[in-house]
């Protein structure tokens, strides 16, 4: 899995990663929906990966993800940030996964 972050997304995310104490994770959030197939993608800041997380190379950020959820995403993804709307989006060459990708910090959404 590979994620390319646009310049706008990179500029928005970088301040959260500069301290070296946090890392990015592509989260397949199933909380509240009851079914993994209905999961919603989100970017999450984590202090350390879980035992199930796998590290992937992104451009410019490496990120973690859970391999069991990899089936729901294409191998090459893009994250952009729309400053006017204040939202991230996740897409590939073939589809738009979400135009409202949540960015979760320790305990809250940004």
């Amino acid at each position: 899995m590979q994620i390319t972050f646009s310049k706008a997304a990179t500029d928005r995310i970088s301040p959260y990663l500069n301290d070296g104490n946090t890392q990015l994770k592509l989260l397949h959030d199933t909380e509240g929906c009851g079914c993994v197939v209905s999961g919603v993608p989100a970017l999450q800041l984590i202090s350390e990966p879980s035992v199930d997380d796998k590290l992937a190379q992104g451009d410019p950020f490496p990120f973690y993800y859970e391999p069991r959820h990899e089936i729901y995403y294409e191998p090459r993804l893009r994250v952009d940030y729309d400053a006017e709307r204040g939202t991230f989006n996740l897409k590939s060459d073939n589809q738009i996964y979400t135009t409202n990708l949540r960015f979760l910090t320790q305990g809250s959404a940004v």
Side-chain angles (χ1 to χ4, degrees):
M1 184 179 288
Q2 161 83 27
I3 297 178
T4 301
F5 295 85
S6 71
K7 179 174 179 353
T10 299
D11 291 347
R12 181 73 172 121
I13 295 170
S14 288
Y16 295 92
L17 301 175
N18 284 340
D19 66 3
N21 295 324
T22 54
Q23 300 163 325
L24 263 179
K25 178 176 179 174
L26 177 63
L27 178 67
H28 188 77
D29 188 5
T30 59
E31 188 173 311
C33 66
C35 178
V36 74
V37 175
S38 299
V40 177
L43 287 176
Q44 181 180 34
L45 293 175
I46 58 173
S47 54
E48 61 183 50
S50 75
V51 69
D52 296 326
D53 290 342
K54 181 176 179 182
L55 182 63
Q57 292 306 311
D59 181 18
F61 310 117
F63 65 97
Y64 286 93
Y65 69 97
E66 294 177 48
R68 65 192 172 117
H69 296 140
E70 189 172 12
I71 191 169
Y72 302 112
Y73 301 99
E74 292 183 48
R76 297 192 186 280
L77 303 169
R78 293 186 309 277
V79 170
D80 194 9
Y81 180 72
D82 182 342
E84 267 185 41
R85 292 184 51 218
T87 60
F88 290 93
N89 62 64
L90 177 66
K91 50 186 143 181
S92 69
D93 287 342
N94 297 312
Q95 67 180 308
I96 297 171
Y97 290 92
T98 182
T99 58
N100 193 22
L101 181 67
R102 293 183 307 150
F103 182 49
L104 307 169
T105 62
Q106 311 289 340
S108 65
V110 175

